[in-house]
Amino acid sequence: MASIGKLYWDEALRRKTWCVIAMVLSVVAPVSVNPALAGSPRLLVLGDSLSAGFGLPHDQGFEAQLQQALKAHGHDVTIIDGAVSGDTSAGGRARLDWVLADGANAAIVELGGNDGLRGLDPKQMEANLTAILDALAARHIPVLLTGMYAPPNLGPDYQTAFRAVFDRLGKRPGVLYDPFFLEGVATVDDLNQADRMHPNPDGVRRIVARLLPLVEKLLAETNPA
């Protein structure tokens, strides 16, 4: 697993400076997904460009493809779009109450990649993610937490501390844990866009197929209104 993360970030860092990466991740507007039937489970996706569908047509992003896959498996699910390109764990924490205003029965939390890109303190990332998970737990909302790797140029100590955050939080009660959102997609040219950082439609399809059993397990723990 560590080698996958290292190859992924080495390739990305050869192609972009930190400043260019930050600019690219911040220019895309959030993707909106059409709601499913009233009364169906409401699934919040709280994330960054990887779940917001950076560089993809509306119907090929993670949220849209996930909803399509769930429907094909007999699940009428309303996706609450809480994915914003360029977002950090602090950004997700700051807007959590707002995105929960219409209610949610379950949540996918996909944050941390931009914390790593910016070299932010893993302790602060853990505080932010802990606050997010605490808030969701207080509302009895089960969570699928999906992790990320830190860029290797920040050194092994940073990488270890960064990964440990996700591994610790993934053990919390009420949390399903997926260690690496880009598992099976990172470093595979045919599954990524030209920037080698963001999945193309086929890459998103691979991610959705891999996560679908976990999402179905997550939905089984919900209590729709």
Side-chain angles (χ1 to χ4, degrees):
M1 290 295 296
S3 61
I4 292 175
K6 184 178 187 303
L7 287 171
Y8 171 63
W9 289 116
D10 279 348
E11 178 65 16
L13 291 170
R14 280 195 295 269
R15 297 176 63 86
K16 297 181 181 293
T17 65
W18 295 112
C19 291
V20 172
I21 291 170
M23 290 174 63
V24 169
L25 293 177
S26 64
V27 297
V28 180
V31 175
S32 60
V33 178
N34 291 332
L37 298 175
S40 63
R42 299 175 63 81
L43 174 62
L44 168 66
V45 178
L46 186 70
D48 52 35
S49 61
L50 296 175
S51 50
F54 173 84
L56 300 176
H58 167 83
D59 64 348
Q60 293 300 307
F62 174 76
E63 293 177 339
Q65 286 207 44
L66 177 60
Q67 189 171 46
Q68 293 161 12
L70 287 169
K71 185 174 182 180
H73 282 72
H75 305 284
D76 285 316
V77 177
T78 298
I79 301 291
I80 302 174
D81 176 23
V84 175
S85 292
D87 218 0
T88 62
S89 60
R93 177 182 182 178
R95 59 192 174 79
L96 180 61
D97 287 342
W98 178 74
V99 296
L100 286 175
D102 292 331
N105 306 108
I108 297 173
V109 176
E110 179 273 307
L111 289 166
N114 288 305
D115 294 69
L117 280 173
R118 301 177 189 184
L120 302 180
D121 187 350
K123 292 181 180 178
Q124 188 58 53
M125 181 179 72
E126 183 166 13
N128 292 328
L129 291 174
T130 297
I132 290 170
L133 296 178
D134 285 347
L136 293 171
R139 293 170 170 83
H140 306 289
I141 297 173
V143 176
L144 169 57
L145 174 67
T146 184
M148 184 52 60
Y149 287 93
N153 70 311
L154 296 176
D157 290 343
Y158 184 89
Q159 286 181 284
T160 298
F162 187 92
R163 279 302 304 173
V165 170
F166 292 102
D167 291 339
R168 280 193 295 270
L169 295 180
K171 297 176 182 177
R172 285 178 51 129
V175 172
L176 296 176
Y177 182 40
D178 170 57
F180 186 30
F181 185 78
L182 294 172
E183 175 68 32
V185 173
T187 77
V188 181
D189 289 349
D190 290 345
L191 298 178
N192 286 280
Q193 299 178 48
D195 65 6
R196 305 289 182 89
M197 295 179 62
H198 295 90
N200 61 25
D202 289 337
V204 172
R205 194 170 297 111
R206 177 77 62 87
I207 293 168
V208 168
R210 185 180 63 79
L211 289 180
L212 186 61
L214 277 175
V215 176
E216 289 184 304
K217 183 176 180 180
L218 181 71
L219 293 172
E221 300 177 4
T222 65
N223 296 297

